[in-house]
Amino acid sequence: MDQSKLTSEWIQAFNRLGSEGKLKPTVPYHDLFNRKELIGFPLHTLPMWTVTFPTGHITCCDPLVTLPNKPDTYIRTVEPGTYLLETKIIEMEPNEYRYVASRVVFSGNEPVNYELALKGTEDLTDLDDGESYIGFPVDSGLATVVDAETIETYRKFYDQWHTNYPDKNIYDDYYSDLFQLNAMAYPQYQRSKGDWINFTIPETELTVPMIQSGFGDGLYPVYWAFDKDGQICQLIMEYIDCSEAYQ
């Protein structure tokens, strides 16, 4: 854990909330990702290739709105490397899909505990005031998980693109074609205009996944999953609250 940017007051509040169980999710994600149905609706698992974290300092955010502004990373870190990314999808109607949650798998170990992913700058009193989580905002209907090096590299690409095309919109004039092409290549669980891409930043091997965030814009929580030895084994981005199915 990177404690260089944390205040003693924040650490005390974090430890207290953890002991009170207020940093835990309301959904057992290890069960959710193993299920094939939920309250009568089919569940599917969609592999989205891999993500690479050269530094191990990672964050989740809106790739179109927040990522260009170089967001802070979480206080917990992972081993640098390349890891599998997959998304759980619910089929609301025949061939009508919503993305429920995405996860990065760091090891094959079974999760036994979860903790809300935080950056050390949040106002933790929100969790004392009745909020069930602190999440990242989405305003473009998309979510991503990226590494600190990817953040810096993407910003350079983003700035250069807007320098080259100052009067254009990067989604409408660049990404929309990539989403449609991906939907043509991998039509399963996607609409024709596309619901996800794993975008490779040009002239690099770094990727920026861009994933449909459930029902669109909102505030979405992220959780670390720990194995029986207390080691991080997964990271989960939740788009649709499934807690009622487990009550």
Side-chain angles (χ1 to χ4, degrees), residues 50-56 58 78-84 104 106 147 206:
T50 61
V51 285
T52 298
F53 303 137
T55 69
I58 65 177
V78 299
E79 285 294 318
T82 298
Y83 301 101
L84 294 176
V104 181
F106 301 109
D147 170 89
L206 299 174

Coordinates of all heavy atoms in Angstrom, one line a residue, residues 50-56 58 78-84 104 106 147 206:
T50 N -6.6 -8.9 -22.6 CA -5.7 -8.6 -21.5 C -5.5 -7.1 -21.3 O -5.7 -6.3 -22.2 CB -4.3 -9.3 -21.6 OG1 -3.7 -8.8 -22.8 CG2 -4.5 -10.8 -21.7
V51 N -5.0 -6.8 -20.1 CA -4.6 -5.4 -19.8 C -3.2 -5.5 -19.2 O -2.9 -6.5 -18.4 CB -5.5 -4.7 -18.8 CG1 -6.8 -4.2 -19.6 CG2 -5.9 -5.5 -17.6
T52 N -2.3 -4.6 -19.5 CA -1.0 -4.5 -19.0 C -0.8 -3.4 -18.1 O -1.2 -2.3 -18.4 CB 0.0 -4.4 -20.2 OG1 -0.1 -5.6 -21.1 CG2 1.5 -4.4 -19.7
F53 N -0.2 -3.7 -16.9 CA 0.1 -2.7 -15.9 C 1.6 -2.6 -15.7 O 2.2 -3.3 -14.8 CB -0.6 -3.0 -14.6 CG -2.1 -3.2 -14.8 CD1 -2.8 -4.2 -14.1 CD2 -2.9 -2.3 -15.5 CE1 -4.2 -4.3 -14.3 CE2 -4.2 -2.4 -15.6 CZ -4.9 -3.4 -15.0
P54 N 2.3 -1.8 -16.4 CA 3.8 -1.7 -16.2 C 4.3 -1.3 -14.9 O 5.4 -1.7 -14.4 CB 4.2 -0.7 -17.3 CG 3.1 -0.7 -18.3 CD 1.9 -0.9 -17.5
T55 N 3.5 -0.5 -14.2 CA 3.9 0.0 -12.8 C 3.2 -0.6 -11.7 O 3.7 -0.6 -10.6 CB 3.7 1.5 -12.7 OG1 2.3 1.8 -12.7 CG2 4.3 2.3 -13.9
G56 N 2.0 -1.2 -11.9 CA 1.2 -1.8 -10.9 C 0.4 -0.8 -10.1 O -0.4 -1.1 -9.2
I58 N -2.7 1.4 -10.4 CA -3.8 1.4 -11.3 C -5.0 2.2 -10.8 O -5.1 2.5 -9.6 CB -4.3 -0.1 -11.7 CG1 -4.8 -0.8 -10.4 CG2 -3.1 -0.9 -12.2 CD1 -5.3 -2.2 -10.7
V78 N -0.5 -3.5 -7.4 CA -0.4 -4.9 -7.8 C 0.9 -5.1 -8.5 O 1.6 -4.2 -8.8 CB -1.5 -5.3 -8.8 CG1 -2.9 -5.1 -8.2 CG2 -1.5 -4.5 -10.1
E79 N 1.3 -6.4 -8.6 CA 2.5 -6.7 -9.3 C 2.4 -6.3 -10.8 O 1.4 -6.6 -11.4 CB 2.8 -8.2 -9.2 CG 3.3 -8.7 -7.9 CD 4.7 -8.1 -7.5 OE1 5.5 -8.0 -8.4 OE2 4.8 -7.7 -6.4
P80 N 3.4 -5.6 -11.3 CA 3.4 -5.2 -12.7 C 3.3 -6.5 -13.6 O 3.8 -7.5 -13.2 CB 4.7 -4.5 -13.0 CG 5.1 -4.0 -11.6 CD 4.6 -5.0 -10.6
G81 N 2.5 -6.4 -14.6 CA 2.3 -7.6 -15.5 C 1.1 -7.4 -16.4 O 0.5 -6.3 -16.5
T82 N 0.8 -8.5 -17.1 CA -0.3 -8.5 -18.1 C -1.3 -9.5 -17.5 O -1.0 -10.6 -17.2 CB 0.2 -8.9 -19.5 OG1 1.1 -7.9 -20.0 CG2 -1.0 -9.0 -20.4
Y83 N -2.6 -9.1 -17.5 CA -3.6 -9.9 -16.8 C -4.9 -10.0 -17.6 O -5.2 -9.1 -18.5 CB -3.9 -9.3 -15.4 CG -2.7 -9.2 -14.5 CD1 -2.1 -7.9 -14.4 CD2 -2.3 -10.3 -13.8 CE1 -1.0 -7.8 -13.5 CE2 -1.2 -10.2 -12.9 CZ -0.6 -8.9 -12.8 OH 0.5 -8.8 -12.0
L84 N -5.6 -11.1 -17.4 CA -6.9 -11.3 -18.1 C -7.9 -10.3 -17.6 O -8.0 -10.0 -16.4 CB -7.3 -12.7 -17.8 CG -6.5 -13.9 -18.4 CD1 -7.0 -15.2 -18.0 CD2 -6.4 -13.8 -20.0
V104 N -10.5 -7.8 -13.4 CA -9.1 -8.2 -13.8 C -8.7 -9.3 -12.9 O -8.8 -9.2 -11.7 CB -8.1 -7.0 -13.7 CG1 -6.7 -7.4 -14.1 CG2 -8.6 -5.8 -14.5
F106 N -5.8 -11.3 -11.3 CA -4.3 -11.3 -11.1 C -3.8 -12.7 -10.7 O -2.6 -12.9 -10.9 CB -4.0 -10.3 -9.9 CG -4.5 -8.9 -10.2 CD1 -5.6 -8.4 -9.5 CD2 -3.8 -8.2 -11.1 CE1 -6.0 -7.1 -9.7 CE2 -4.2 -6.9 -11.4 CZ -5.3 -6.3 -10.7
D147 N -3.3 1.6 -16.0 CA -2.1 1.8 -15.2 C -1.5 3.2 -15.3 O -1.8 3.9 -16.2 CB -1.0 0.7 -15.7 CG 0.3 0.9 -15.2 OD1 0.6 0.3 -14.1 OD2 1.1 1.7 -15.8
L206 N 0.4 -0.7 -24.9 CA -0.5 -0.4 -23.8 C -2.0 -0.3 -24.3 O -2.2 0.3 -25.4 CB -0.1 0.9 -23.1 CG 1.3 0.9 -22.6 CD1 1.7 2.3 -22.1 CD2 1.4 -0.1 -21.4

